[in-house]
């Protein structure tokens, strides 16, 4: 099977090495495409080329995925897939620009260097080509999490947007403390802040622009700041009931906190 990967960043490179196919990379940065091809033993194609492939995988930032599908879906003979991190808009674009082809949206919930991990999957128009790709990913010990586009995109408001906003807010608000003053909770938040800020700022910016969630974190923080003692106790009990009486449904998209920096770089 021949696969064209549009986008030669870390996620496109990971995908090229994870599928059992002959892969070709196309990118606005031809040097990046060459580096990705060298890394996984693939080829390089012009971004505006006309050659056709069994599968086109769009591996560009989520802000550009719809335009990329519109531009490159016509180069696919059997299937179009994406690994952008958002699902509703790409699948709508595939339905418009590749109505006769197999389509699927995949969201690896990890940074490529932390593979394998959980991969959210929507088999929108399944078939042999997309099944072959998913089988290859599963064979590499990735956990395929079947979902729908609305369920996934709503979950990402919590799993990504709200979570990142909370960690980044702590990272910005926290001050240095004397050695030995750390509590277990502070130490864990510091570790998360250090891990998150090792990532790519553009990735986190795209997530905040795509998914709601940060406003809810801001509202909760404001409510805590304004609360009296009784109100704070009530908030604490509400939080305890949420997290101990029944974990949020979005937890099924999370393999482990080691995958925090997994936002489709």
């Amino acid at each position: 099977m021949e696969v064209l990967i549009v986008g030669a960043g870390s996620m496109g490179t990971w995908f090229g090495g994870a599928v059992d196919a002959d892969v070709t990379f196309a990118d606005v940065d031809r040097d990046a495409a060459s580096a990705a091809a060298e890394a996984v033993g693939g080829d390089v194609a012009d971004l505006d080329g006309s050659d056709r492939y069994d599968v086109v995988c769009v591996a560009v930032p989520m802000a550009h995925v719809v335009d990329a599908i519109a531009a490159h879906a016509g180069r696919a003979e059997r299937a179009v897939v994406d690994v952008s991190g958002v699902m509703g808009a790409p699948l709508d674009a595939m339905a418009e620009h590749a109505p006769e082809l197999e389509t699927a949206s995949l969201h690896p919930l990890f940074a490529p260097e932390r593979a394998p991990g959980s991969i959210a999957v929507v088999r929108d128009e399944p078939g042999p080509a997309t099944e072959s790709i998913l089988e290859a990913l599963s064979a590499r010990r990735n956990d395929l999490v079947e979902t729908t586009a609305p369920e996934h995109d709503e979950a990402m408001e919590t799993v990504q947007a709200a979570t990142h906003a909370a960690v980044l807010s702590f990272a910005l608000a926290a001050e240095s403390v004397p050695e030995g003053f750390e509590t277990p909770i502070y130490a864990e938040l510091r570790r998360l802040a250090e891990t998150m800020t090792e990532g790519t700022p553009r990735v986190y910016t795209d997530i905040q622009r795509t998914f709601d969630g940060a406003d809810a974190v801001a509202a909760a923080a404001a409510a805590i700041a304004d609360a009296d003692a009784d109100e704070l106790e009530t908030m604490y009990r509400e939080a305890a009931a949420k997290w101990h009486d029944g974990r949020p449904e979005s937890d099924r998209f999370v393999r482990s906190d080691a995958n925090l920096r997994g936002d489709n770089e």
Side-chain angles (χ1 to χ4, degrees):
M1 184 165 63
E2 296 182 336
V3 177
L4 173 67
I5 302 173
V6 179
S10 58
M11 191 55 68
T13 304
W14 165 83
F15 184 84
V19 297
D20 185 14
D22 296 324
V23 298
T24 299
F25 292 90
D27 195 282
V28 292
D29 182 346
R30 192 173 179 86
D31 289 340
S34 296
E38 183 177 354
V40 302
D43 296 316
V44 176
D46 291 335
L47 190 63
D48 58 355
S50 58
D51 291 343
R52 303 193 70 194
Y53 302 81
D54 295 311
V55 178
V56 169
C57 173
V58 177
V60 301
M62 58 182 70
H64 304 290
V65 63
V66 169
D67 289 340
I69 290 170
H72 300 286
R75 303 175 75 173
E77 294 184 341
R78 298 174 61 188
V80 180
V81 302
D82 84 285
V83 289
S84 66
V86 63
M87 291 186 162
L91 287 171
D92 287 344
M94 292 179 205
E96 178 181 356
H97 299 286
E100 305 299 324
L101 302 183
E102 300 172 35
T103 55
S105 186
L106 317 178
H107 182 187
L109 297 161
F110 50 85
E113 65 271 18
R114 296 175 186 267
S118 297
I119 302 176
V121 176
V122 175
R123 306 174 194 246
D124 197 48
E125 292 292 341
T130 53
E131 289 305 308
S132 177
I133 288 171
L134 294 175
E135 288 171 4
L137 296 176
S138 180
R140 291 181 177 269
R141 297 185 295 111
N142 293 290
D143 298 327
L144 305 185
V145 182
E146 304 289 341
T147 185
T148 65
E151 180 187 52
H152 169 272
D153 289 355
E154 182 178 355
M156 290 307 108
E157 295 179 4
T158 294
V159 172
Q160 291 190 315
T163 300
H164 300 167
V167 175
L168 182 59
S169 295
F170 167 80
L172 293 170
E175 300 289 347
S176 297
V177 299
E179 184 176 354
F181 279 43
E182 298 90 347
T183 65
I185 292 176
Y186 167 82
E188 183 67 11
L189 277 172
R190 183 181 65 185
R191 183 187 67 80
L192 293 173
E194 290 171 349
T195 299
M196 181 172 161
T197 52
E198 290 174 353
T200 304
R202 186 264 307 157
V203 171
Y204 294 97
T205 299
D206 285 348
I207 288 168
Q208 293 300 332
R209 288 179 175 176
T210 301
F211 302 113
D212 295 329
D215 287 350
V217 174
I224 291 169
D226 293 339
D228 60 25
D230 289 339
E231 290 169 336
L232 278 173
E233 284 197 21
T234 298
M235 292 178 188
Y236 182 90
R237 295 181 190 282
E238 289 175 353
K242 175 188 288 186
W243 289 95
H244 295 282
D245 294 346
R247 294 183 66 80
E249 291 182 3
S250 59
D251 276 11
R252 75 190 194 87
F253 288 99
V254 182
R255 179 165 179 166
S256 75
D257 62 5
N259 287 331
L260 171 68
R261 192 162 56 88
D263 307 303
N264 249 11
E265 296 181 340

